[in-house]
Amino acid sequence: MPTRESNQTTPAGSDADSTEGTDGDAPDPDEILVALLEGNDSHVDGLPGDYFDPVREEQHPDVVTICCADSRVSQEGMWAVDRPGAVFTPSNIGNQAWDDHEGEKIVDGSLLYPVYYADTDAIAIVGHTGCGAVTAAYDVANGNEPPGPAGVSKWVEMLVPVIEDGLESDLIDADAERPIVINQLVEYNVDRQAAFLHAAETVPDSVAIYGFVYDFHGVYGSDAGRAHLVNLNGETSPENIIDQLPDAYAKNVGSLLY
């Protein structure tokens, strides 16, 4: 089987420090298909008969979460959600709240749809540690070519101005080791996406906006898989965020930024 052409930048959605496997390690496509079908059989067998009754005709998810398109980030699993209709789950490269429309940044329709048509009152932006999209944008900001193909490069290039602004700010230690800089930029990007939504006329003022970083590298603490709240309706000070939460959730708040 031919291999995909490699690039000098890290592909979006991959771990910044991971290495690619060989084709010999990859399962046969037919094996993948069978595994999917077997998994769906198990899914069907495990569903109560009334599982879809509350949402068969309509949906009213409590929150829409925009996550990075990454196989290690389970949008429902991280919240232990086991019922349909609770979370609206779009994702894209770099958990970006915007899209490009004729040269203008607009709020991604996947976020607006549940807000306008499904009574959703909260948006959560969820970045993750070791983000390959942020890594790729960081490399482009430092003079490398976009990773390609075009469908990937588009999203990476939309992140580049965010990364450049972050590196020029006093919030990022641009001289630190690469993994530290990347993870700081992940959080910086979450804040920028949240700020964009707050400023957007198409997002009603009544919609709550949360910013999280999902940590499976132990960067924010020792609990792998914890979603750390880094932005609460525009507030980024951990102390001020903690003051707005029940005491039990202080462990869910943190920041890598100065």
Side-chain angles (χ1 to χ4, degrees):
M1 182 182 296
T3 59
R4 291 183 175 90
E5 183 179 354
S6 63
N7 286 276
Q8 56 186 344
T9 54
T10 304
S14 64
D15 193 314
D17 298 319
S18 66
T19 57
E20 294 184 5
T22 63
D23 285 348
D25 297 330
D28 183 274
D30 288 343
E31 295 176 2
I32 297 172
L33 176 58
V34 169
L36 289 172
L37 295 173
E38 288 178 347
N40 183 245
D41 279 348
S42 297
H43 171 68
V44 171
D45 292 342
L47 293 181
D50 61 352
Y51 184 72
F52 288 107
D53 285 356
V55 295
R56 208 177 296 275
E57 303 301 328
E58 59 185 13
Q59 60 173 327
H60 299 288
D62 300 322
V63 60
V64 50
T65 64
I66 184 74
C67 288
C68 187
D70 191 294
S71 63
R72 300 162 296 181
V73 181
S74 171
Q75 294 204 62
E76 293 178 327
M78 72 171 69
W79 316 116
V81 170
D82 59 1
R83 64 182 176 88
V87 182
F88 201 89
T89 56
S91 61
N92 60 39
I93 294 171
N95 47 273
Q96 298 182 63
W98 51 51
D99 198 355
D100 180 88
H101 177 67
E102 298 179 349
E104 177 186 359
K105 279 185 177 177
I106 60 172
V107 177
D108 190 295
S110 296
L111 295 177
L112 292 179
Y113 180 84
V115 169
Y116 277 74
Y117 299 106
D119 302 324
T120 300
D121 295 323
I123 299 173
I125 303 152
V126 186
H128 68 88
T129 55
C131 178
V134 169
T135 302
Y138 173 78
D139 287 338
V140 173
N142 282 287
N144 289 324
E145 293 295 321
V152 173
S153 292
K154 167 194 169 178
W155 291 96
V156 171
E157 289 176 318
M158 285 198 295
L159 271 183
V160 172
V162 175
I163 301 309
E164 291 174 337
D165 288 347
L167 292 173
E168 293 174 0
S169 76
D170 57 2
L171 298 173
I172 306 293
D173 183 3
D175 296 323
E177 295 182 3
R178 178 181 172 93
I180 295 174
V181 177
I182 296 301
N183 286 319
Q184 288 182 325
L185 288 169
V186 166
E187 183 177 329
Y188 184 83
N189 177 47
V190 168
D191 285 340
R192 285 291 298 272
Q193 303 299 328
F196 172 76
L197 291 176
H198 278 293
E201 294 181 357
T202 51
V203 177
D205 292 339
S206 60
V207 173
I209 299 173
Y210 315 135
F212 291 92
V213 176
Y214 184 69
D215 182 7
F216 51 88
H217 291 85
V219 174
Y220 286 79
S222 59
D223 296 333
R226 188 170 300 284
H228 290 268
L229 183 63
V230 300
N231 191 307
L232 176 57
N233 292 317
E235 178 60 67
T236 59
S237 164
E239 292 80 8
N240 292 340
I241 293 175
I242 288 172
D243 286 344
Q244 300 180 57
L245 299 175
D247 292 343
Y249 299 108
K251 64 183 180 298
N252 295 75
V253 180
S255 178
L256 301 179
L257 304 183
Y258 292 106

